[in-house]
Amino acid sequence: MPQKSFYVTTPIYYVNDAPHIGHAYTSVAGDVITRWHRQHGESVIYLTGTDEHGTKVASKAEANDMAPQDWVDKLVAEHWKPVLETLNVANDDFIRTTQKRHRRGVQKFWEVLKEQGFVYQADYNGPYCVACEEFKLPGDLLEGEGDELICKVHGKPVQLLNEKNWFFKLQGFQEQLIEHYERHPTAIAPASAYNEVLSFIRSGLSDVSMSRESVDWGVRLPWDPEQVVYVWFDALLNYITAIGYGDSQAEDAFADIWPADIHLVGKDILRFHAVFWPAMLMAAGLPLPKQVFAHGWLLVGGEKMSKTKLTGIAPNQISDHFGVDAFRYYFMAAINFGADGSFSWEDMHDRYHADLANGLGNLASRSLAMVTKYFDGRVPQPGSYTNADLALQDELVEAVANADAAMLRLDFSTGIARVRGYVESVNGYITEQEPWKLAKDESKQTRLATVLYCVMESLRAIAVLYAAVMPEACERLWADIGASGKLSDQTIEQVDRWGQLEPGASVSKGPALFPRIDKVT
RNA sequence: GGCUGGGUAGCUCAGUUGGUGAGAGCGCCGGACUCAUAACCCGGAGGUCGUGGGUUCGACUCCCACCCCAGUCACCA
């Protein structure tokens, strides 16, 4: 019986627009989690994908004179998949809600729930704008004269229409949900998100309609083809349809992967993941996800990013300028995962130079230059270690322990800060040991070799510790210091075992790892 | 309006269960060094911890009131 795979998901992104750095942020976070767990020797499945159904997509397609399927195919191919490559995201699968495996799973799921008696038919009453041809939400409406409600888009009164819909018996799961969350206080993180969800559930749940008659672009109900599954009750199921739910050939695979270990979600969609989704799973008799983690929003100029205010930023605007690794590093290091974070070009520029160009990049550069100059480009053979050397080794042990603990609880900024602290220690160590002075004294060759060996070993460890966050730069560093074996095979457990670099190995000093970049504007 | 989170050095933010003189990074000022991407290293200046009360021997940390910002209030991608 193989060990269960560690299963990480992002939300599936709604393809209505092109991806911005908010989407990229989530995808990168998931990727870092994935890579870190792989560095623990675990088998990891990382899933992302796109949500492609719903009225908005259909009408956008129509506006572009295309069939919905052609439209979403184009968006996914031209925008959503490329952005993952741009960011070096190593997802194992990409689910699309228009795929057959998904539609089949969705139909199976709701059929099961209906058979179990969790779905019933009733009237849905709601404000409807004839001009928009859509049912409206309270937020879409303005108050007019008397009880009249006005559609924001057309400024005309809406009608109260009703249609027959199928409802999911959410209400009945209220107590079970409370009980589950009381027993699993880390099932929703961070704690503020947990509290919010619990108080929401305690305030009372009611049944929700899970189908639409007025919508065409979606998954049809097997028992009532006039209706399609409401987008949320379609989209959430991606987490199980992607890994084989509903496919009789894939039952073993499904059992090996489900339940999810981490569902990453933006805080705006927490409720769907922490209330509706677990209730659906309970109804279907499936295990619940171990954790739903709600991260914050990226703020630009103190506000949530917005296209209309021109603060929406495409990921490649940043990665083209600073590089992919810097993109990943910045968002993981600068923002407390779970809280909102401010983005500004100036802050990005400052951190890039302080941490990467002047910090890690310069450390690699000065170290490799000395090994090249003093030892002909060969990793030197160390002599006996002094207290300063041993202190550096101890610091590595401590940094690894602290970084690992932080990364495993998804506290990326702290995890990275621990590694950065070690980088600073190594820079300090070099300054104190003054290898350039040792080099001028023929009798101190052994000491010089020992110092530089310690520095190279430190770089070896740093390459491993930063590999999840900055895969490309670390691969280069790994090769530059002459390390043997594959970087991807290096584990966190073994990283602080001193002395892995082989003396005599060839180092190479290439161009700067993180070149300085002129400030624009 | 109800609820949630937040208001801590110029900027971005940390601050477990109240207790040695309130922290980090960046920026700024000074020093030292030269292996390195004018980088690195050391030191320094700088804050009545939103406002006003209260509890306590003692509160940024607890309680009350108020001000300001953000989000949310169920079918919102």
Side-chain angles (χ1 to χ4, degrees), chain A residues 181-203:
Chain A
Y181 285 130
E182 282 177 342
R183 213 170 6 200
H184 303 281
T186 58
I188 305 171
S192 55
Y194 175 88
N195 292 333
E196 224 168 292
V197 168
L198 227 70
S199 67
F200 172 76
I201 298 174
R202 289 203 171 100
S203 75

Side-chain angles (χ1 to χ4, degrees), chain A residues 54-66:
Chain A
T55 313
K56 286 186 190 172
V57 170
S59 48
K60 198 100 173 210
E62 198 179 343
N64 284 276
D65 222 12
M66 291 177 77

Side-chain angles (χ1 to χ4, degrees), chain A residues 42 228 356 377 402:
Chain A
E42 292 173 70
V228 304
L356 299 180
N402 289 333

Side-chain angles (χ1 to χ4, degrees), chain A residues 346-361:
Chain A
E346 185 171 13
D347 189 44
M348 171 100 215
H349 182 272
D350 289 350
R351 272 184 183 272
Y352 173 83
H353 287 90
D355 297 356
L356 299 180
N358 300 349
L360 175 58

Side-chain angles (χ1 to χ4, degrees), chain A residues 480-499:
Chain A
D480 284 352
I481 61 176
S484 56
K486 287 167 65 178
L487 176 57
S488 55
D489 290 340
Q490 308 303 310
T491 63
I492 301 301
E493 282 76 11
Q494 292 291 316
V495 65
D496 57 9
R497 208 188 75 232
W498 202 262

